Amino acid sequence: MGSGRLAAQIETQRPHLALWIPVLFAVGIAAYFQVPAEPPGWMLAAIATFLAMGLGTLFRIGPTARILLLALMLPLAGFAVAGLRARLVAAPVLPHAMTANVEGDVIGLDRSAGDRPRVLLDDVVIHGLPPSRTPARVRISLDPSTPEDVVQPGIRLLGYARLSPPAAPAEPGGFDFRRMAWFDRLGAVGYARTPMLEMAATGGEARLDWRAGIFALRVHLARAIQNALPGRNGGFAAAILTGDRSGVDPVALGTLRASNLAHLLAISGLHMGLLTGFVFASIRYGLALVPGVALRHPTKKYAAIVALVAGLAYLALSGANVATQRAFIMTAVVLVAVLIDRPAFTLRSVALAAMIVLVIRPESLTEAGFQMSFAATTGLIAVFEWLRGRAWWRESQSARWSYLRPVIGVAVTSTVAGLATAPLSAFHFNTLSQYGLIANVLAVPAMGLLVMPAAVIAGLLAPLGLAAPALWAMDLGIEYILQVAAFVAGLDGALRGVPSGPPASLALIVLGGIFVVLWLGPARLLGIVPIGLGLLVWAQQDRPDILISDNGRLFGIRAAQGRVLNSEKGNGFAASNWLDNDGDLADQAAAFARPGMERGRGRAVMEVPGLGRFVYFASKQPGARADAACGEAAILLAPSLWDAPGGRCLFLGAARLDDEGAMAIRVVAGRPSIEGAKSANRGRPWTRDRDPDR
């Protein structure tokens, strides 16, 4: 009886069964990133053996058993693919912080958070470090006095720089830059202490490849755009066309973020879809004007081929970063569907694109861009498929108010995309734009109807020297978008802070949303249960009472008015992360100015509710002062002391900071519970202690 019911349920869900393939595959990838230790090689080999046996069995069993076996195989396959990917990208990571002469080929240009030019170097040599321990890639913020003509693609630079391994999380459970750097093969970051110098052009036969040529073309194009459109509009245009965000005005970027329009800067599915859609429509309708061609040739397929080539060119010119690769794959799936006479915009297309991305780059699953782009696309297609099934929507094409359909379409698109991505945005960026829907309804049409079409036309006319009118139109559209962003960002309460939540809460929300979209029948409403549970878990998450940076020089204590910091500058990355994760929109200086902390020379004291005094002691000399500090404190933070002073306090000194990194302390039943950022997942390739000699 039970097996019969199961078979009947599977038969009911058959139209959507294929859509669960990337979901189950992603579950395995997520499991890989959550396990506390790296799976050994024999485990991956055993999984591969099981998968091979499963493939051999798959078509020898009945339909129900086949689906159940696939449901078991897909998560295991995702787990194994992620483990294999982590091994394939393995490269040395700098063992410890050091200052040395560094040389390497420039393969990337951008700007640091401090608005300094920054280069990504490949084929790196670090003088004094053996090749076997030298990172494959290094990212260095340049000295401001570095000549501008040196910051060019394809040049080999040499300079004296302070380097460090990729940083551990600013707090336990926080964003782990080490993992992202591992999959990017980035083994060290730092800053130049002197101007870097050009050693030699990379004009050798081995280095003069198509990637270097495209990189040089991108930089040339970005600078040409900024020369043609000076000011903030040129920086915006360069960002959306070449991926170079170094010229984006910081004030404009802030208003774009506050109005939920920052996604317009990141080259994503929106940009790729707008560009290829404009090319597709232009070619198709252009050929339709020639009766002989329109009647005898498959103009729709010709248009799809040209749009595919245009998308590929855009992918190359924009830097082919992960988000753009993902956007191109999704667009390519749609255009190929047109070529083979299949429905283009379907959930199957989204599932296929997701599967391709996850197989190639399984680490994408953990990135906000992947999650938000597929959430928005899935939600939009699901809603518009539902609308197409409604008679009133179909009949509206010929109704008197049919002219409102485009307006309704934009409103529905912005609403659905906003709702689908809101939990993800809040989870990853700790903010919610209160008026993001208004901003998107006002700004996105200008992006699609003016900015991107003008960009395509400008690109076609630029070789003839006739791009000025198109650039003027593009400039007009960008100025309008930035004005909308400034207006919405200026509204009272435009941005709301959201405290960070545990990964389990996001997983429940996402899986519940997927169930609502993919499950057929009234039971799909059961997906609301995990969504509600995820929101409840998120709401119950309690932020740490005390946070301490990895060097111990910055700490923050939670108070009624928000977290109070002991320093108004220094360790800015940690400070901003803590405040963001608290859902606090204040900056470091404002958090420092809050009352409640007594500060003096090399000393700070604050009362922690339910625990007692937290004392910061900066002196490097142990002795009576340190003993006295420990005597009055429940917790003594002394980052310069290795040995514990006399007294009964909980001592946090240099040795523990070196072992634990950043720390979070929660007061539980009057006692401190401590968690260290380095303690979690020490056994992963990106978290292992790097210097065995120390």
Side-chain angles (χ1 to χ4, degrees):
M1 181 68 71
S3 60
R5 289 180 179 177
L6 178 61
Q9 188 62 251
I10 289 175
E11 187 61 32
T12 302
Q13 301 300 319
R14 185 172 294 278
H16 275 191
L17 286 179
L19 304 180
W20 288 95
I21 292 176
V23 177
L24 294 171
F25 190 78
V27 167
I29 296 173
Y32 167 80
F33 285 111
Q34 289 300 313
V35 295
E38 188 67 15
W42 64 261
M43 181 182 292
L44 298 182
I47 292 175
T49 302
F50 173 79
L51 292 174
M53 294 171 60
L55 285 174
T57 308
L58 205 58
F59 298 101
R60 301 179 182 177
I61 54 180
T64 302
R66 183 184 306 141
I67 290 169
L68 294 176
L69 180 58
L70 271 174
L72 175 62
M73 291 171 59
L74 284 167
L76 290 174
F79 187 93
V81 166
L84 179 61
R85 168 74 175 166
R87 285 164 167 78
L88 291 176
V89 300
V93 175
L94 194 72
H96 55 82
M98 61 189 303
T99 304
N101 284 312
V102 183
E103 62 178 89
D105 300 329
V106 178
I107 63 167
L109 296 172
D110 62 355
R111 299 191 80 83
S112 68
D115 203 33
R116 292 173 62 175
R118 189 167 63 184
V119 293
L120 179 64
L121 302 180
D122 194 19
D123 193 24
V124 176
V125 174
I126 299 177
H127 295 255
L129 197 65
S132 61
R133 304 183 74 183
T134 300
R137 292 178 177 174
V138 169
R139 194 177 69 190
I140 298 177
S141 296
L142 299 179
D143 185 274
S145 59
T146 300
E148 186 176 342
D149 59 351
V150 169
V151 189
Q152 300 286 345
I155 287 179
R156 190 165 184 82
L157 295 181
L158 169 66
Y160 192 59
R162 178 65 177 175
L163 300 175
S164 303
E171 64 172 273
F175 169 70
D176 197 344
F177 176 63
R178 297 171 300 178
R179 184 172 69 190
M180 186 180 78
W182 176 264
F183 285 97
D184 288 340
R185 308 188 82 239
L186 179 64
V189 296
Y191 59 92
R193 307 193 73 163
T194 59
M196 298 195 79
L197 304 173
E198 179 182 355
M199 286 188 64
T202 61
E205 297 78 2
R207 304 188 192 278
L208 191 58
D209 58 15
W210 61 273
R211 287 169 297 217
I214 290 177
F215 178 39
L217 178 60
R218 283 182 56 226
V219 173
H220 173 76
L221 180 60
R223 292 175 179 174
I225 292 170
Q226 289 174 304
N227 288 333
L229 301 176
R232 62 177 190 173
N233 293 2
F236 188 105
I240 64 173
L241 295 179
T242 70
D244 178 9
R245 301 178 65 170
S246 62
V248 176
D249 179 64
V251 175
L253 180 59
T255 60
L256 287 166
R257 286 174 174 166
S259 59
N260 197 28
L261 292 176
H263 66 92
L264 297 181
L265 278 177
I267 298 176
S268 61
L270 173 66
H271 303 74
M272 186 69 71
L274 291 175
L275 183 138
T276 55
F278 175 74
V279 172
F280 178 86
S282 299
I283 298 297
R284 188 179 183 191
Y285 292 123
L287 292 176
L289 296 176
V290 184
V293 175
L295 294 174
R296 299 175 185 174
H297 297 274
T299 56
K300 185 178 180 180
K301 295 184 179 182
Y302 291 168
I305 292 172
V306 176
L308 192 60
V309 172
L312 185 61
Y314 187 36
L315 172 70
L317 287 177
S318 62
N321 60 37
V322 177
T324 317
Q325 291 176 28
R326 181 172 59 247
F328 176 73
I329 289 172
M330 293 177 68
T331 304
V333 168
V334 170
L335 293 172
V336 169
V338 172
L339 291 174
I340 60 176
D341 297 315
R342 303 286 292 183
F345 295 100
T346 66
L347 289 175
R348 286 178 179 264
S349 299
V350 178
L352 178 58
M355 195 66 187
I356 293 171
V357 173
L358 291 175
V359 169
I360 297 173
R361 298 185 66 103
E363 69 275 13
S364 296
L365 180 69
T366 64
E367 298 169 359
F370 174 92
Q371 297 171 13
M372 294 178 71
S373 64
F374 278 101
T377 306
T378 301
L380 287 170
I381 291 178
V383 167
F384 278 102
E385 282 187 348
W386 179 84
L387 284 174
R388 283 197 295 268
R390 311 275 77 80
W392 61 268
W393 178 257
R394 294 194 303 269
E395 293 168 0
S396 68
Q397 288 183 305
S398 56
R400 291 183 179 179
W401 50 276
S402 60
Y403 61 90
L404 291 177
R405 275 175 61 96
V407 178
I408 297 173
V410 170
V412 170
T413 298
S414 298
T415 302
V416 172
L419 290 175
T421 58
L424 300 165
S425 177
F427 182 87
H428 289 287
F429 306 118
N430 301 109
T431 56
L432 279 178
S433 177
Q434 303 282 70
Y435 308 112
L437 174 60
I438 297 173
N440 278 275
V441 168
L442 293 174
V444 171
M447 194 76 178
L449 298 175
L450 188 58
V451 176
M452 293 307 291
V456 174
I457 294 171
L460 294 174
L461 296 179
L464 304 176
L466 302 175
L471 288 174
W472 174 82
M474 188 177 180
D475 183 59
L476 194 67
I478 292 173
E479 181 63 27
Y480 168 76
I481 290 171
L482 293 179
Q483 290 290 348
V484 169
F487 168 74
V488 173
L491 297 175
D492 289 339
L495 200 62
R496 177 185 174 187
V498 179
S500 62
S505 63
L506 185 66
L508 286 168
I509 293 170
V510 170
L511 290 175
I514 290 173
F515 190 87
V516 169
V517 172
L518 299 189
W519 196 261
L520 296 174
R524 66 171 44 180
L525 295 179
L526 292 175
I528 297 174
V529 175
I531 293 175
L533 183 58
L535 293 173
L536 180 63
V537 170
W538 194 334
Q540 296 299 315
Q541 175 79 351
D542 195 24
R543 293 288 295 149
D545 295 287
I546 304 170
L547 287 167
I548 302 171
S549 66
D550 56 359
N551 60 13
R553 297 191 184 96
L554 179 74
F555 64 89
I557 298 177
R558 192 172 61 163
Q561 70 273 26
R563 195 169 299 276
V564 184
L565 302 182
N566 69 306
S567 176
E568 64 179 334
K569 59 182 180 179
N571 291 280
F573 179 77
S576 63
N577 267 264
W578 296 349
L579 294 171
D580 287 346
N581 291 338
D582 287 343
D584 191 340
L585 299 179
D587 59 15
Q588 184 173 356
F592 169 78
R594 288 168 175 161
M597 187 178 295
E598 301 174 17
R599 303 178 182 89
R601 186 176 180 86
R603 173 185 169 88
V605 181
M606 186 168 175
E607 196 75 20
V608 180
L611 181 65
R613 283 194 155 197
F614 181 94
V615 177
Y616 171 72
F617 183 76
S619 174
K620 297 181 180 180
Q621 301 298 325
R625 289 180 60 209
D627 293 345
C630 186
E632 68 170 307
I635 299 177
L636 175 64
L637 172 63
S640 298
L641 299 183
W642 286 85
D643 298 321
R648 301 181 62 182
C649 66
L650 173 61
F651 172 65
L652 304 177
R656 187 153 189 175
L657 286 166
D658 186 62
D659 183 60
E660 298 279 4
M663 286 183 275
I665 303 176
R666 289 179 170 85
V667 180
V668 181
R671 299 178 63 86
S673 173
I674 303 178
E675 183 182 5
K678 289 184 179 179
S679 299
N681 302 338
R682 285 189 188 274
R684 309 314 299 270
W686 51 88
T687 63
R688 292 174 183 151
D689 292 333
R690 295 298 175 190
D691 194 355
D693 300 330
R694 293 184 71 191

